[in-house]
Amino acid sequence: MVTALPDSEILVRQWCLSKTSITDLLGTRVATNLPTEPTLPFLVITLLGGSVDESEALIGRADFQFDAYAGNWGGDNTKNKPDYQTAFNVANTVLKEAFANQDNQITSSGAAVGYIYGFSVTSNVRRIDEEGIGLARYSFDATMTYRSNSE
């Protein structure tokens, strides 16, 4: 019996939170959108699309964009101040984990969420100017290959 694929956004977020090198920089500040005036640095993961493998097992591929934000929000008559070094460091740390890690069973609150075979990094870390919000932003793309835990 084929089991449905797990939610890839939940799976990739839990993967980030399972990596000490990432949580040492971010704590739990990883989400699928940038909240209004979050504590920084912050990682936003955007699902760009994906596909399903046409084999006997249900294998998914999800294309993600990882965006690292850092700096100081303006407020109380202060000016926004981007922190390029921290944003780059966060993005590069996540990229290194994605490149290095293969075959990970991901759990949340002790329950299995899914299984990640690995990531294919499809672009290197790049700087994106964010004049509107005044924060440093570095980004890269990767494709995650995954399945449910019951295969």
Side-chain angles (χ1 to χ4, degrees):
M1 177 177 188
V2 176
T3 304
L5 288 171
D7 184 322
S8 61
E9 290 176 313
I10 292 172
L11 190 60
V12 74
R13 181 178 186 274
Q14 287 304 124
W15 172 82
C16 286
L17 297 177
S18 75
K19 303 300 173 190
T20 304
S21 65
I22 297 172
T23 58
D24 283 352
L25 297 171
L26 299 171
T28 60
R29 296 184 305 272
V30 178
T32 57
N33 59 34
L34 186 64
T36 303
E37 298 188 23
T39 300
L40 296 167
F42 200 95
L43 180 68
V44 174
I45 305 168
T46 305
L47 178 62
L48 303 174
S51 62
V52 176
D53 189 8
E54 301 270 341
S55 66
E56 292 183 29
L58 186 58
I59 306 293
R61 287 185 183 79
D63 303 321
F64 288 103
Q65 179 173 306
F66 295 82
D67 293 293
Y69 293 87
N72 295 318
W73 287 99
D76 299 327
N77 295 319
T78 61
K79 187 175 180 180
N80 292 353
K81 183 178 178 188
D83 182 348
Y84 296 106
Q85 181 177 356
T86 299
F88 177 81
N89 189 35
V90 169
N92 202 45
T93 298
V94 177
L95 182 141
K96 286 192 292 188
E97 286 288 354
F99 186 76
N101 282 280
Q102 306 294 320
D103 297 327
N104 294 275
Q105 179 169 322
I106 305 300
T107 61
S108 177
S109 302
V113 175
Y115 188 86
I116 298 174
Y117 289 104
F119 290 86
S120 174
V121 176
T122 57
S123 75
N124 201 357
V125 172
R126 62 197 176 271
R127 179 175 153 179
I128 299 174
D129 288 323
E130 284 289 353
E131 294 178 15
I133 60 174
L135 296 175
R137 176 182 172 199
Y138 281 83
S139 181
F140 76 93
D141 301 332
T143 299
M144 176 181 76
T145 303
Y146 67 105
R147 66 169 169 80
S148 73
N149 273 325
S150 57
E151 294 294 320

